[in-house]
Amino acid sequence: MKKGTRAVAVFAGLLTVAEAGGSAYFYRRTMKRGKAKVERTMKMAGTDWNQYMPLIEERKEYMMAQPHEDVYLRSGDGLRLHATWFPVGDQKKTVICFHGYTSRGMSDYIGLSGYYMKRGYSMLLVDERAHGDSEGEYIGFGCLDRMDALNWIEWLIHRTGEETQILLHGTSMGGATVLMTSGLKLPGQVRGIISDCGFTSAKEVFTHVLHSMYHLPAFPMIQIASLVNKRKAGYTLDECNASREVRKAKVPILLIHGDADTFVPCSMCREIYENCASEKRMLIVKGAAHAESYYKDTAAYENALNEFIGGIIK
């Protein structure tokens, strides 16, 4: 009997160590700068970008030929944050763009530059904390980045004047960022928010990935990682949830998602839409994988932008 009890105790101890080790491994490769790899993210997202490279290269050539400059500011917790500023015309119509997980500002908005800049919109392409040329060791997953977004909004108003009209446009993690920002008190210059394939929370998207791609239970790995992240980065993985934050939204919101997205499921978009308290629209693009909607059906995407923006920007 004693031997059996001792064996159970040893097994439980080994299981605890294994869970702790697995959680630590998951945490490092997901939350820490340098450990979270863009190649791994692209593989998990599963979008075939090769088919769109001719268009992307054409748009990039046009974009980089326009006047632009590097700009910086300090976050509330002292990080030096970077963005690339593309001024267009009188700079009274502007869009602040927030990229996806492991990406950077100058990567995710090359395609959309052909839409915005040719319609007279200045663009501020933000490197979110712990990405690109912005400082930071721990990824914010929208929860920390929403406070940085407020700083970028204030920077833009100071740069372009009180009369400027601002859109926030985010993709994937950037989509979650702008949706989480919607729950904050925003300056009147912010006229609308566009979220492309944004997720509800870090906890829920990690749970989905563990179940669907790794066939692993989320408990207790997510809970351990959340506690560690609270200690190291200052927030839990479900501290900010886009579907909760949009209940406080005052500005109009356009939600876009591909119905073939296996990385961030389309169901998250529908949940956010149902919870949104402000004026709202939703575009579901048939057959589009993660972050592919603009390229999969450019006409539908641009028509949705035209209809949405036409009602809020003068």
Side-chain angles (χ1 to χ4, degrees):
M1 188 70 176
K2 290 182 179 180
K3 289 183 179 179
T5 302
R6 189 179 300 115
V8 170
V10 169
F11 177 76
L14 291 173
L15 189 61
T16 300
V17 170
E19 288 288 358
S23 299
Y25 175 71
F26 166 77
Y27 182 81
R28 285 194 302 272
R29 66 188 262 132
T30 304
M31 305 300 295
K32 290 197 70 174
R33 183 185 201 124
K35 301 294 185 181
K37 303 294 186 182
V38 64
E39 297 83 6
R40 185 165 63 240
T41 303
M42 292 180 70
K43 183 177 180 180
M44 289 191 296
T47 305
D48 177 15
W49 291 108
N50 290 328
Q51 60 186 313
Y52 304 120
M53 287 312 297
L55 174 61
I56 291 171
E57 289 298 329
E58 177 187 328
R59 295 277 175 99
K60 184 176 182 180
E61 183 178 357
Y62 165 80
M63 186 181 190
M64 298 311 295
Q66 310 309 308
H68 59 280
E69 63 179 290
D70 294 313
V71 295
Y72 299 88
L73 59 72
R74 286 285 171 186
S75 68
D77 53 352
L79 299 178
R80 188 172 188 249
L81 303 180
H82 168 264
T84 309
W85 170 236
F86 288 82
V88 176
D90 64 5
Q91 302 172 39
K92 297 308 180 187
K93 296 191 302 183
T94 56
V95 57
I96 308 178
C97 301
F98 297 85
H99 61 77
Y101 176 62
T102 70
S103 188
R104 60 191 303 152
M106 286 297 295
S107 295
D108 285 10
Y109 288 89
I110 293 172
L112 276 162
S113 67
Y115 175 85
Y116 280 120
M117 297 177 74
K118 291 182 178 180
R119 286 168 174 78
Y121 285 84
S122 298
M123 300 183 74
L124 183 67
L125 307 182
V126 171
D127 285 345
E128 298 196 50
R129 58 173 55 214
H131 289 80
D133 292 329
S134 288
E135 293 180 344
E137 183 178 2
Y138 297 101
I139 296 171
F141 280 99
C143 192
L144 301 182
D145 306 290
R146 65 183 183 151
M147 307 311 297
D148 300 335
L150 287 182
N151 290 335
W152 283 117
I153 292 166
E154 292 299 333
W155 178 92
L156 189 56
I157 294 170
H158 179 76
R159 177 67 177 257
T160 61
E162 295 289 332
E163 300 79 23
T164 194
Q165 301 173 88
I166 300 172
L167 295 171
L168 307 180
H169 194 139
T171 301
S172 191
M173 186 182 77
T177 296
V178 297
L179 293 172
M180 292 174 187
T181 304
S182 76
L184 304 175
K185 185 176 181 180
L186 297 173
Q189 287 85 355
V190 178
R191 300 301 176 84
I193 291 173
I194 301 126
S195 172
D196 184 338
C197 62
F199 52 75
T200 50
S201 72
K203 176 185 176 182
E204 290 180 358
V205 78
F206 292 160
T207 297
H208 168 74
V209 168
L210 285 172
H211 287 167
S212 64
M213 299 184 184
Y214 293 98
H215 308 292
L216 292 171
F219 180 85
M221 193 176 297
I222 294 293
Q223 286 70 22
I224 294 172
S226 187
L227 291 173
V228 172
N229 200 58
K230 180 66 174 178
R231 180 166 55 86
K232 291 182 177 291
Y235 70 99
T236 66
L237 299 184
D238 197 42
E239 186 168 321
C240 299
N241 187 305
S243 66
R244 294 197 301 262
E245 293 303 314
V246 296
R247 295 172 188 168
K248 299 176 282 184
K250 304 295 184 185
V251 300
I253 293 176
L254 170 62
L255 299 166
I256 301 172
H257 217 107
D259 71 355
D261 191 337
T262 57
F263 192 37
V264 177
C266 193
S267 59
M268 290 190 180
C269 179
R270 299 185 192 280
E271 178 184 344
I272 293 165
Y273 181 83
E274 290 301 320
N275 280 278
C276 184
S278 63
E279 178 186 337
K280 57 191 176 182
R281 294 170 181 252
M282 181 169 60
L283 171 68
I284 304 299
V285 178
K286 186 175 178 58
H290 189 64
E292 189 187 19
S293 291
Y294 180 73
Y295 300 93
K296 190 72 173 181
D297 194 341
T298 304
Y301 199 113
E302 292 191 349
N303 286 339
L305 289 178
N306 289 339
E307 292 175 7
F308 178 70
I309 296 172
I312 58 178
I313 298 290
K314 298 178 182 178

